[in-house]
Amino acid sequence: IMVAPIFPFTTEFTIDGINGFKYGDVLTFDVLPHRYRINTVFSIIGVEHKVNEDGQWTTVIKCIMRPKIG
């Protein structure tokens, strides 16, 4: 059964540089309220890598909430 998100939203977070995330990958976040954890997932809609002048590599992940299927 598909259940629409209660309050759909997008999220973006920055982490230390890492390779392997790609468009369409699915993430879950254990810190969300139970209702969201059981009914929704986040699909990656963007990955951006940055290296600053000091050589520090960061990765920005952009996601959109969608209903969990199955």
Side-chain angles (χ1 to χ4, degrees), residues 13-53:
F13 57 93
T14 302
I15 55 176
D16 288 340
I18 188 167
N19 193 21
F21 286 106
K22 60 188 179 295
Y23 184 91
D25 282 350
V26 174
L27 304 174
T28 59
F29 296 97
D30 291 338
V31 297
L32 293 175
H34 180 72
R35 188 172 185 184
Y36 286 92
R37 287 193 316 264
I38 63 171
N39 293 316
T40 64
V41 294
F42 287 80
S43 292
I44 295 177
I45 58 172
V47 178
E48 181 181 352
H49 299 279
K50 298 178 183 180
V51 179
N52 69 13
E53 296 165 354

